[in-house]
Amino acid sequence: MTHNIPLPAHAWPTLEAGWVWLCGAGPGDPGLLTLHAVNALRQADVVIYDALVQEAILEWAPQAEHIFAGKRGGKPSAKQRDISLRLVDLARMGKKVLRLKGGDPFVFGRGGEEAQTLVQHGIPVRIIPGISAGIGGLAYAGIPVTHRDVNQSVTFVTGHDQSGNTPGSLDWVSISKGSQVLVIYMGMKHIAQISAKLIAAGRPASEPVAVVTTATTIDQRVLETTLGTIVADIAAAGMEPPAIICVGQSVLMRQVLDWQGQAAGIAPRNLDPLGRGRPAESV
Ligand code: SAH
């Protein structure tokens, strides 16, 4: 594959020396990079990337130094401070710095904190959004994050609090009542607590749930379960983070919209899983 096809004419911004571009890499599949991300990868002197950024994406920046700044599962924030200050140092050395983060840099990614530190140190920044795993990852599993028959709102929630340990500080009662569909990031570690709290707050134990791990990569796995059975089913399936957990009726849409399964020859299980009489509208 060639990575140097010219980008179509557009006023592509130049990554100047001494700048930091904070960029989302999307959930995994390199095809989900934005053109701004590709433009940035081609110009960077140095790419500082997270654990969730797929190695294949770094191939788009063969000229750059690649620095791994992996942080996994809510380690102490001193490390975060080190990363932010490293970005400051590199910019001050006159490098063209690309800070590459999984998904979208401003969605549960501490991108806001890093950008704030940079601005506080007088470093000019540009923010490049990315496709967040909670939207793109679910789409790859055939789950629409909103669907007219299901939800008029969606809640994105993290399963970790600031300490990285417990979801205890979150108001799960309000969250459970807040919208028909919940999209939980970083929920695997505390899924027993989270599912119990949602059921205690009134969500039915039979409510459909999907767990999508390493979404959009070749290792993507999808588990369809319910709030009441999720803990046992995750254990039985041996599923590991990173995972997006989607709670709500929209999970049923996978029965008709599992487009990856269909491409592999698996017939849809149910053309109208919500039973709204919309099996083949206006065909
Ligand atoms: N900024 C990222 C989220 C970072 S928090 C974004 O917008 O997607 C890290 C969490 O994101 C993981 O614990 C997991 O819940 C989720 N995540 C990121 N990439 C994922 C992927 N490819 N598959 C499943 N979950 C993913």
Side-chain angles (χ1 to χ4, degrees):
M1 193 201 312
T2 174
H3 293 120
N4 52 11
I5 311 157
L7 290 173
H10 176 71
W12 296 106
T14 302
L15 175 45
E16 307 276 2
W19 279 64
V20 178
W21 284 7
L22 196 57
C23 176
D29 180 349
L32 297 177
L33 288 168
T34 65
L35 291 177
H36 273 305
V38 171
N39 177 51
L41 283 158
R42 287 177 178 182
Q43 296 182 68
D45 292 327
V46 44
V47 180
I48 303 206
Y49 65 99
D50 280 349
L52 286 173
V53 173
Q54 296 286 305
E55 295 281 329
I57 286 171
L58 299 171
E59 289 171 21
W60 291 73
Q63 80 293 346
E65 182 188 353
H66 302 160
I67 301 176
F68 176 67
K71 260 183 345 94
R72 265 276 152 110
K75 290 279 152 52
S77 51
K79 189 88 188 291
Q80 179 64 48
R81 191 179 149 73
D82 291 348
I83 295 169
S84 298
L85 293 178
R86 181 123 196 228
L87 295 172
V88 171
D89 285 345
L90 288 164
R92 287 197 174 146
M93 285 163 63
K95 302 278 189 194
K96 302 172 184 177
V97 185
L98 175 56
R99 173 68 172 122
L100 200 58
K101 300 176 81 75
D104 182 281
F106 280 1
V107 178
F108 301 130
R110 305 206 183 182
E113 292 165 52
E114 289 180 21
Q116 185 179 16
T117 302
L118 290 163
V119 172
Q120 284 170 344
H121 285 79
I123 308 294
V125 299
R126 181 183 186 95
I127 311 297
I128 302 175
I131 296 180
S132 192
I135 298 176
L138 291 180
Y140 266 44
I143 299 169
V145 81
T146 76
H147 185 68
R148 212 156 51 113
D149 292 331
V150 173
N151 60 324
Q152 290 68 50
S153 69
V154 56
T155 298
F156 297 100
V157 58
T158 170
H160 286 171
D161 71 5
Q162 226 170 9
S163 72
N165 287 322
T166 68
S169 59
L170 291 171
D171 180 352
W172 288 98
V173 174
S174 300
I175 290 167
S176 79
K177 296 191 195 318
S179 52
Q180 301 94 329
V181 174
L182 310 177
V183 177
I184 306 170
Y185 291 68
M186 295 174 276
M188 290 290 262
K189 186 172 170 196
H190 298 298
I191 190 57
Q193 228 180 314
I194 292 168
S195 54
K197 280 177 189 278
L198 289 173
I199 292 169
R203 305 285 293 223
S206 60
E207 184 159 13
V209 181
V211 180
V212 188
T213 60
T214 48
T216 82
T217 74
I218 49 163
D219 299 320
Q220 172 175 305
R221 290 182 68 193
V222 184
L223 170 72
E224 292 174 44
T225 176
T226 66
L227 266 186
T229 52
I230 186 169
V231 176
D233 284 351
I234 286 175
M239 289 176 107
E240 300 277 348
I244 287 294
I245 301 171
C246 179
V247 179
Q249 296 294 315
S250 42
V251 167
L252 299 178
M253 289 300 288
R254 179 173 154 77
Q255 296 175 11
V256 61
L257 297 181
D258 175 16
W259 56 272
Q260 289 188 331
Q262 289 163 28
I266 302 167
R269 279 170 284 162
N270 184 346
L271 291 177
D272 185 20
L274 298 169
R276 302 299 161 96
R278 198 175 284 143
E281 203 175 38
S282 65
V283 170

